[in-house]
Structure formats: C-alpha cells, structure tokens
C-alpha cells in the first residue's frame, strides 16, 4: 500500500490557500498549509514533503528568502519547489526562482488541471523514490540479518567445536594421548594435515603426534626430521623463540628454502603444502610445544577466524596438559607416600621384632627363677621389679605398633558381648601391685545396672588399663576411685578419679595427642596411651574425656560406651581344665634365637613337658618325619624358609596343633600365621600365662582324642 505524500502550500492570503487546496483535492494526498515563511520552516522541521507550493510575495520572509532557507536544510535541499506569483515580471522573478532550485514558476490565476498534473508528477516521483529507499533499507536489513545469523551460527559452531575439543582433551591423563587427540581435532576442521611437536629434555624439538585427512600419508609425516638444540635457525624453532603464531598463506620455493634444510626439502615438497600456520602451546609460563596446521588445497588460507580458533584450541590443550602434569605429580607423590608408609610399617615391624625377641628369654628365666621354692626372699622383690620393667618395655613396643595401626586405619576389632565390670576387674588386678606399692586407697563402686557392651574385650580392657595405669603413675599419695553408672542415653560411663598431680587447663586439650606427656619422664612411657585409648573408644562408638581443676587437684577421666541388652554367652559344658587332668606334651620347639630356645625349653621342661629343639626348618622337617609331636611351637622368622612347611608336616603325621611365636604383631602377621595352619599367635616376649593356658588346652584335647 502506497503511503500518502505530504504537500505544503505557503501563502499569506487565506482565499488563495483555499483555492489551491481545492485545486489539489482530487490527488487524495495530505495537504498542509502555512501563512508565512516562518511557519513553513517550522512545518519542515516536523515532516518531509513531496512538493512545496510557495507564494513569492509575502510579508516578512518572501518566497525567495523562504526558498533559500529551505535549501540550506539537508533533508529538504532537494524537495521540489513551485513558485506561484501574480506579478508578470518574468525576467527577474523566474530567473531568481530557478537560481534557488525551483522546478517551476506559475502565474496566477492558476489553472487547476495544470497545477494538479504538475503536482501529481512530483508526488508520484516522491512516492517511487520512497519505495526504492524502503526496499533498499529492507534489503540492507535482510543482508544484515543474514550476516548476523551466519556469524551467530559460525560462532555457535566454533563454541561447539571448542566444547567438544575440551572434552576430548581432558579424556586422557597421558601426555602422548592428549597430543594425539589434539592432532585429530585439527584435521580436517582447520587443515588437511597437522603436526604436533614439543621441546625435548635436551632443548631440541621432537614430533609427538600427526594427523592427515588421508591416513596413508601419515607415515610420510612421521618421516619429517626435527631440529636438534644446535639447529636454532630451523623454521620450527620460530614459535618457541617468539612465543607468537607463525603464519604463511603462500608457500613457495623461496619460503621452503628459507625454513627447511636442503636435505629435508624434497620430503616437504612431496606433501604439497600451499599455506601453513604454527601456533605455540603455552604452559607453566613457557612454550612447551606447537601445533602446525597445513593446507594442501590451492588458494586455501588461514584467516583471522581460523587463527583465533587455533589459538583457543592451543589454550585448552595447555590446560589439559597442566592437568596431566598435576596428575603425574600427584600420582608420584602418592606413590612416594605409599612407599614411605610401607617402609615405615616395615621398619616398625622389624624394630618391634628386634626389640621383642630378647625379652622372651628374660621373662621366661624370671618366671622360672620365681617358681624356685628355695630362692632367697631377698631376691624375690628385685626379680619382680625386673619382671615389671620388662613387661613395661613390651607395653611400650605395643603402643608404638598401635600408633602405626591408628595412623593407617588398620585397627581391627573382634567384637563380642562382654561384661564391662569384668574387664574393669581385670585391669584393676593388673595394676593392683602398683597401687599397693604406693599405699593408695582404692575404692571401686560398680553401680551401673546395664554393663554389657558389644566390644573387643582385649582392646576395651587395654583402654581401662591405660587410664588406671596413668592415674596410679601420677598419684603419689591419696586415693584412686573407679566407678560406673548408667547414662541417660542407655550407655554406661566408667570414671577413674585420682587425687594426684592434676593437669593445667592449657594442657588438658592436648593429652589425647600422640607423644604428649604431662610430666616428662615420670614413670616411663611415650605419651601414647591416651591417644591410642581415644581411638579405641571412638571405634567402639564411645567417648573419652579428661577433667582437672589444675595442678595438685587430681584428674578425672570418663569413658562412655553404648550398652546392649544381650548378655555374654555362657559356654555350656566347658570347664576350666586343671593341670591334674592333662597329660604332659611332646613339643617340637622351632626357634633360631638360642637364648629364647634355651629359656623356653627350661620353662616347659619344668612343667613336665618333653621338648625337642630345632634351630632351622631343615632340621625340624627331619624330626617331623621320624617322631610324633603333640604341639609345634615355632618362630616365624627362620633363616632357611617358612615354618608353614613344618606345620603341614607335623599336622599330617599327628594332627598336631601349632602355636606361632613372633616379634611381629601386626594384623597381617596374624593372618599370615593362620595361613600357615597355626591355631595361635603369641607375640614376643611370650606371655607365660597365656602359653600355659594354650598348653593346658592342648593337653585336654589330647586326653579327649585318646
């Protein structure tokens, strides 16, 4: 639909304006009138006109002056002006009118038909011109929209490519695989073939990946020779030196001669490059490699968009390589940490073995001497002091091993329903000699009604022993109070209160840390007991806390653990075997430590057992082939092999039970013992009481079996 055109009529007389409007009625256009030159200029500021009918003689600005001002305005400088005048001074007026850009000069009276025809021609020209302008604008807008859409689609495609590239590049944590993925991304998206290289350790350049749109050509790419550290003039070094992209959109003989040594030029010519771009790979503040993209199609070039995309790809590759480097370093650190942990565990195990082994003959000789009826009373106390200190030494070794287990999270609980009061009683009895030696008043109030827990009895008793031992150690006079009570949440709390040296407020938060001691050197110890106790209590789902009002005010330690309604299972029909009901055993003792073998032999023979000594696996096997034994008592660390073969030999002949003796007491050592077929694992120094229980058990089995 054609839009109406605006026609401006300017005359100071109303009757003439009306006459001209009437003459133009048949054109069906928008006619605008003005009574003066000033008003006409104001109308021109508001809208554009197809043609202007301008009276020459007007007060103020006349028609010529008004026309001159109209022509000074850029938007109306080409608007057609028709002068209308009643004066027949054609010589001056017409000449002046045309000099001002008038398209016609009409004398009144105006003939309506002629006026309409002239105005209609200018209106038609104006409308067609406006239509052409609109079409041109619409076409320009269409082209702009198409260009914007194409740019948006290209940008979207680039972003999608880079997103896919990032996913591919981070898919591997190996340098070579990352470089290979990079080459595959470049071809054929950015070039017909691609070379990826990096700086080697000597400062030269080495090829790490290639890709070609024709896979058969890749072998040719791999034959390209790269420069050594002394060939710095080689073109491949350029991006490493400048750190900037190197682009050549026209490869000719001169370019090949400038960049490639003579002996390598024939191979480059065979690849038919037409243009190339080398982009550096920046990582950790230096150029570590480059991507060389090569076109082989005539006229193909690397434009700014392609180079931007290549630069972004190089940036993402550098990030992926950083991840590879971080993973490599983290993996190396983890392996070093694991190796250090294994070395530490091995050291601790060997240390405990070497420390424990000499203690066994000491303890066994002490037990044997103490059992002699005619030993002077004067020596009994020194023997007891020696025994206690040897047992303390063994306890310190156990604490070190327990600390290792705590650090590696390898403490294993053998849970069963146990009586807390019974475990407390055992711990008190162990410490009773020290309590009596100091003359302390011991008060025990076991008031808890619910005192059964699902726990590892040995470990929980270890906690009680540590707490009571500490209370005795730091209390020189006064009293010791051990009590239990029911907790509101259904658990049981065990409180050990002493009147000893107390602890400063600033130290109370640290006493559960390894190697922390309130008074250095007092009563021995390494400061590990409470640290290990806290871990054991927490593994049982409980808590341990310490309170003291300060130095000289005593200390209270409270252990709280959850209880269970179930009671310990009574082992029906099981009676404690008495020595009189057992027979003496034939024991094969396999021990390479001479002192330990001698002391154990003396102790066992004092109890009436028949002991045969063997100091290595070979001699033990010979004995097992010719003699019958009721029990194999064997060390684990033997000079010529594993005790497992001996265990199998004696078990096959007699169904014999085995007891392992070892300075190694870690969980894996116990598991290895069971794998050999041994029923029991005793850690050196041998607990003589526990050994006697096992011998008694073995004797009862012998009576039953015979």
């Amino acid at each position: 639909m054609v839009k109406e055109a605006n026609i401006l009529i300017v005359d100071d007389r109303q009757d003439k304006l009306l006459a001209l409007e009437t003459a133009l009625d048949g054109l069906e256009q928008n006619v605008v009138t003005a009574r003066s030159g000033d008003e006409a200029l104001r109308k021109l500021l508001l809208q554009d006109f197809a043609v202007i009918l301008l009276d020459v003689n007007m007060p103020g600005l006349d028609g010529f002056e008004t026309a001159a001002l109209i022509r000074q305005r850029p938007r109306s400088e080409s608007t057609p002006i028709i002068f209308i005048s009643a004066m027949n001074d054609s010589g001056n007026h017409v000449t002046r009118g045309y000099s001002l850009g008038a398209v016609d000069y009409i004398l009144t009276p105006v003939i309506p038909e002629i006026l309409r025809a002239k105005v209609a021609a200018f209106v038609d020209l104006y409308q067609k011109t406006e239509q052409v302008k609109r079409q041109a604008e619409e076409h320009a807008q269409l082209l702009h929209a198409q260009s914007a859409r194409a740019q948006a689609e290209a940008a979207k495609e680039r972003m999608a490519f880079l997103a896919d590239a990032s996913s591919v590049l981070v898919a591997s944590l190996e340098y070579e695989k990352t470089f290979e993925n990079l080459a595959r991304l470049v071809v054929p998206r950015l070039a017909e073939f691609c070379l990826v290289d990096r700086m080697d350790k000597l400062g030269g350049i080495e090829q790490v990946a290639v890709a070609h749109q024709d896979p058969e050509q890749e072998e040719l790419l791999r034959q390209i020779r790269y420069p050594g550290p002394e060939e710095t003039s080689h073109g491949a070094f350029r991006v490493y030196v400048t750190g900037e992209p190197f682009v050549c959109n026209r490869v000719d003989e001169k370019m090949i001669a400038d960049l490639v040594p003579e002996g390598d030029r024939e191979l480059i010519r065979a690849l038919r490059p037409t243009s190339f771009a080398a982009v550096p790979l920046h990582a950790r503040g230096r150029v570590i490699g480059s991507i060389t993209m090569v076109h082989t199609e005539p006229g193909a070039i690397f434009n700014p968009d392609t180079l931007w995309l290549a630069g972004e790809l190089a940036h993402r590759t550098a990030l992926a390589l950083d991840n590879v480097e971080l993973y490599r370093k983290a993996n190396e650190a983890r392996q070093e940490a694991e190796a250090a942990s294994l070395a530490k565990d091995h050291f601790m195990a060997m240390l405990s073995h070497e420390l424990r082994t000499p203690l066994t003959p000491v303890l066994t000789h002490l037990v044997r001497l103490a059992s002699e009826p005619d030993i002077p009373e004067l020596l009994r106390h020194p023997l007891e002091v020696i025994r206690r200190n040897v047992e303390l030494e063994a306890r310190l070794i156990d604490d070190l091993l327990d600390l290792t287990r705590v650090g590696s999270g390898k403490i294993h609980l053998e849970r069963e329903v146990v009586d807390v009061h019974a475990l407390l009683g055992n711990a008190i009895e162990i410490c009773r000699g020290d309590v009596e030696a100091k003359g302390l008043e011991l008060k025990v109030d076991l008031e808890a009604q619910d005192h059964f827990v699902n726990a590892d009895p040995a470990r929980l008793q270890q906690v009680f022993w540590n707490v009571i031992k500490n209370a005795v150690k730091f209390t020189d006079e006064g009293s010791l109070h051990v009590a239990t009570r029911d907790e509101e949440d259904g658990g049981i709390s065990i409180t050990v209160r002493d009147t000893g040296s107390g602890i400063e407020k600033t130290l109370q938060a640290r006493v559960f840390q390894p190697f922390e001691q309130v008074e250095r050197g007092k009563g021995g110890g390494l400061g590990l007991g409470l640290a290990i106790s806290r871990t054991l209590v927490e593994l049982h789902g409980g808590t341990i806390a310490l309170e003291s009002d300060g130095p000289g005010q005593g200390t209270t330690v409270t252990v709280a653990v959850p209880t269970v309604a179930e009671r310990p299972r009574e082992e029906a029909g099981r009676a404690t075997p008495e020595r009189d009901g057992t027979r003496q055993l034939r024991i094969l003792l396999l021990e390479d430590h001479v002192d330990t073998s001698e002391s154990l032999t003396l102790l066992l023979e004092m109890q009436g057992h028949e002991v045969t000594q063997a100091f290595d696996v070979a001699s033990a096997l010979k004995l097992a082939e010719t003699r019958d034994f009721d029990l194999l008592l064997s060390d684990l660390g033997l000079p010529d092999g594993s005790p497992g073969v001996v265990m199998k030999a004696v078990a096959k002949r007699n169904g014999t039970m085995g007891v392992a003796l070892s300075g190694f007491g870690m969980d894996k050592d116990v598991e290895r013992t069971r794998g050999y077929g041994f029923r029991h694992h005793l850690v050196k120094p041998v607990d003589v009481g526990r050994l006697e229980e096992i011998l008694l058990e073995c004797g009862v089995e012998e009576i039953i079996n015979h």
Side-chain angles (χ1 to χ4, degrees):
M1 181 179 181
V2 180
K3 183 181 178 181
E4 287 185 355
N6 297 320
I7 303 171
L8 178 62
I9 304 174
V10 186
D11 201 303
D12 62 311
R13 290 176 52 182
Q14 183 63 37
D15 58 333
K16 291 176 68 178
L17 287 175
L18 182 59
L20 292 172
E21 280 188 272
T22 302
L24 299 177
D25 274 348
L27 297 179
E28 297 182 353
Q29 304 299 324
N30 182 35
V31 178
V32 179
T33 62
R35 296 288 295 274
S36 66
D38 290 334
E39 185 179 359
L41 293 174
R42 287 195 296 271
K43 300 283 188 180
L44 281 164
L45 292 175
L46 299 176
Q47 59 194 122
D48 295 327
F49 294 94
V51 62
I52 300 173
L53 304 180
L54 184 59
D55 185 20
V56 173
N57 297 308
M58 293 184 296
L61 291 174
D62 63 17
F64 295 127
E65 292 171 336
T66 302
L69 293 174
I70 290 173
R71 287 289 179 254
Q72 292 178 12
R73 180 173 175 265
R75 290 190 61 177
S76 59
E77 64 180 355
S78 60
T79 302
I81 298 176
I82 299 175
F83 284 110
I84 298 176
S85 174
M87 298 179 64
N88 191 10
D89 185 1
S90 59
N92 293 328
H93 285 77
V94 173
T95 300
R96 188 178 178 189
Y98 283 119
S99 69
L100 293 171
V103 296
D104 207 347
Y105 192 97
I106 300 176
L107 296 174
T108 58
V110 176
I111 300 174
E113 290 78 6
I114 294 175
L115 179 64
R116 276 198 302 273
K118 290 184 176 183
V119 170
F122 289 117
V123 167
D124 184 55
L125 177 62
Y126 173 81
Q127 289 177 330
K128 289 181 178 178
T129 301
E130 289 298 309
Q131 184 178 6
V132 170
K133 286 182 180 179
R134 284 196 302 273
Q135 290 174 345
E137 290 176 356
E138 290 173 356
H139 183 64
Q141 291 176 354
L142 177 61
L143 291 177
H144 179 74
Q146 290 176 340
S147 175
R149 185 165 55 251
Q151 290 178 2
E153 289 176 354
K156 182 179 179 181
E157 182 182 352
R158 287 196 298 268
M159 291 302 104
F161 170 74
L162 291 175
D164 292 341
S166 296
S167 300
V168 171
L169 289 170
V170 300
S172 174
L173 290 172
E174 298 178 0
Y175 271 109
E176 287 70 19
K177 188 63 177 178
T178 301
F179 282 124
E180 182 181 332
N181 291 340
L182 172 60
R184 298 296 175 192
L185 286 167
V186 171
V187 178
R189 178 66 173 80
L190 303 179
E192 282 73 62
F193 70 83
C194 171
L195 307 164
V196 181
D197 52 71
R198 67 179 174 188
M199 188 77 75
D200 61 25
K201 295 180 180 179
L202 299 177
I205 300 175
E206 63 177 351
Q207 185 185 94
V208 291
V210 298
H212 199 294
Q213 65 178 3
D214 180 3
E216 294 182 358
Q217 295 291 316
E218 290 185 359
E219 187 57 38
L220 192 62
L221 295 179
R222 293 188 180 94
Q223 296 176 20
I224 294 176
R225 188 186 68 84
Y226 279 80
E230 70 285 350
E231 300 177 80
T232 54
S233 61
H234 195 290
F237 268 109
R238 181 161 176 168
V239 293
Y240 290 89
V241 175
T242 65
E244 299 292 334
F246 178 25
V247 183
C248 175
N249 278 324
R250 184 174 180 273
V251 177
D252 53 21
E253 278 299 319
K254 184 178 184 307
M255 175 63 69
I256 293 176
D258 289 342
L259 297 178
V260 183
E262 185 174 356
D264 302 326
R265 292 171 190 169
E266 196 59 37
L267 177 60
I268 299 300
R269 293 188 188 101
L271 293 168
R272 301 195 306 276
T274 58
S275 62
F276 71 84
V279 181
L281 295 174
H282 293 275
R284 298 173 295 282
R286 63 188 181 91
V287 178
I288 64 168
S290 70
I291 317 168
T292 302
M293 304 169 290
V294 184
H295 280 307
T296 58
E297 299 294 332
I301 64 171
F302 292 93
N303 56 39
D305 285 344
T306 305
L307 293 175
W308 177 86
L309 196 58
E312 284 296 310
L313 185 60
H315 175 66
R316 283 163 169 74
T317 302
L319 292 177
L321 293 175
D322 267 343
N323 290 337
V324 171
E325 180 67 13
L326 290 173
Y327 173 78
R328 183 185 65 80
K329 289 182 177 179
N331 196 41
E332 288 178 355
R334 179 181 59 80
Q335 292 175 351
E336 289 176 2
E338 289 177 352
S341 178
L342 289 174
K344 182 197 69 174
D345 289 348
H346 179 69
F347 170 76
M348 292 299 295
M350 292 302 299
L351 178 63
S352 69
H353 178 271
E354 296 303 315
L355 291 176
R356 288 176 186 276
T357 299
L359 298 180
T360 297
V362 176
L363 274 179
T364 51
H365 279 306
L366 285 172
V367 171
R368 186 179 66 81
L369 287 173
S371 65
E372 292 288 345
D374 55 350
I375 189 171
E377 288 298 323
L378 184 64
L379 295 180
R380 291 194 179 277
H381 177 68
L383 289 175
E384 180 63 21
V385 170
I386 296 172
R387 183 191 63 79
R388 283 204 307 269
N389 280 274
V390 171
E391 290 175 346
L392 174 61
E393 189 76 22
R395 181 70 258 172
L396 294 178
I397 297 170
D398 287 339
D399 284 349
L400 284 172
L401 289 176
D402 278 343
L403 181 65
T404 300
R405 294 187 183 100
V406 168
S408 59
K410 294 180 180 178
I411 288 186
H412 177 67
L413 300 182
E414 297 285 348
R415 290 179 179 266
E416 60 182 87
V417 177
V418 294
D419 186 347
V420 169
H421 288 171
L423 298 180
L424 268 176
N426 293 340
I428 291 171
E429 284 304 314
I430 294 172
C431 298
R432 187 176 294 278
D434 295 330
V435 172
E436 293 174 350
K438 284 191 171 185
L440 302 178
E441 178 186 355
L442 176 62
K443 184 178 180 182
V444 180
D445 292 324
L446 306 181
E447 298 178 354
Q449 298 299 309
D450 296 327
H451 47 87
F452 302 109
V453 299
N454 185 16
D456 184 321
R459 289 301 190 180
L460 196 54
Q461 182 171 304
Q462 179 182 351
V463 172
F464 297 152
W465 178 80
N466 272 328
V467 174
I468 296 171
K469 178 191 69 171
N470 272 353
V472 174
K473 181 166 68 172
F474 292 104
T475 305
D476 293 328
E477 59 182 14
S479 63
L480 185 66
H481 186 195
V482 180
T484 65
R485 64 182 178 87
D486 296 315
E487 292 289 304
E488 294 181 359
D489 61 359
I492 181 174
S493 65
I494 302 94
T495 302
V496 179
R497 182 181 297 110
D498 64 65
T499 59
S501 57
I503 305 175
E504 292 184 8
K505 294 287 186 183
T506 57
L507 296 177
Q508 291 179 24
R510 294 163 42 193
V511 295
F512 291 104
Q513 299 298 322
F515 304 108
E516 286 291 341
Q517 290 180 300
V518 177
E519 296 181 44
R520 295 285 179 185
K522 183 176 177 66
L526 298 173
L528 297 175
L530 288 180
I532 294 168
S533 295
R534 181 177 67 174
T535 299
L536 293 176
V537 171
E538 290 174 351
L539 286 173
H540 283 89
T543 59
I544 183 170
L546 180 146
E547 295 179 2
S548 177
D549 292 333
Q553 302 299 312
T555 303
T556 301
V557 177
T558 302
V559 176
V561 289
T563 55
V564 294
E566 185 181 356
R567 291 178 175 270
R569 288 180 296 176
E570 296 294 339
E571 296 184 275
R574 179 177 177 180
T576 302
E578 299 293 337
R579 170 68 60 192
D580 294 340
T582 65
R583 73 183 185 88
Q584 305 311 300
L585 301 174
R586 296 166 296 178
I587 300 174
L588 174 58
L589 176 59
L590 176 53
E591 170 63 69
D592 65 322
H593 190 263
V594 176
D595 290 342
T596 300
S597 180
E598 178 186 345
S599 60
L600 282 174
T601 299
L602 289 173
L603 182 64
L604 294 170
E605 288 178 345
M606 282 179 59
Q607 296 175 353
H609 301 294
E610 178 186 336
V611 180
T612 302
Q613 291 179 300
F615 296 96
D616 52 46
V617 171
S619 58
L621 285 174
K622 289 181 180 179
L623 291 169
E625 291 172 357
T626 57
R627 299 178 58 180
D628 295 328
F629 296 101
D630 304 314
L631 176 70
L632 171 62
L633 193 59
S634 175
D635 186 19
L636 291 184
L638 296 166
D640 61 335
S642 165
V645 294
V646 181
M647 184 70 249
K648 289 180 181 178
V650 294
K652 182 178 180 181
R653 182 178 176 91
N654 302 110
T656 303
M657 183 172 72
V659 178
L661 307 176
S662 177
F664 300 103
M666 303 292 280
D667 292 342
K668 64 180 181 181
D669 302 316
V670 178
E671 293 175 4
R672 184 178 60 170
T673 299
R674 291 172 179 166
Y676 288 154
F678 289 92
R679 186 182 298 184
H680 299 284
H681 182 106
L682 294 182
V683 179
K684 296 177 181 179
V686 175
D687 183 338
V688 176
R690 177 59 181 149
L691 178 59
E692 289 181 350
E693 291 178 2
I694 293 172
L695 294 175
L696 207 56
E697 175 188 339
C698 183
V700 170
E701 289 187 4
E702 287 298 315
I703 292 175
I704 294 172
N705 293 334
H706 291 80

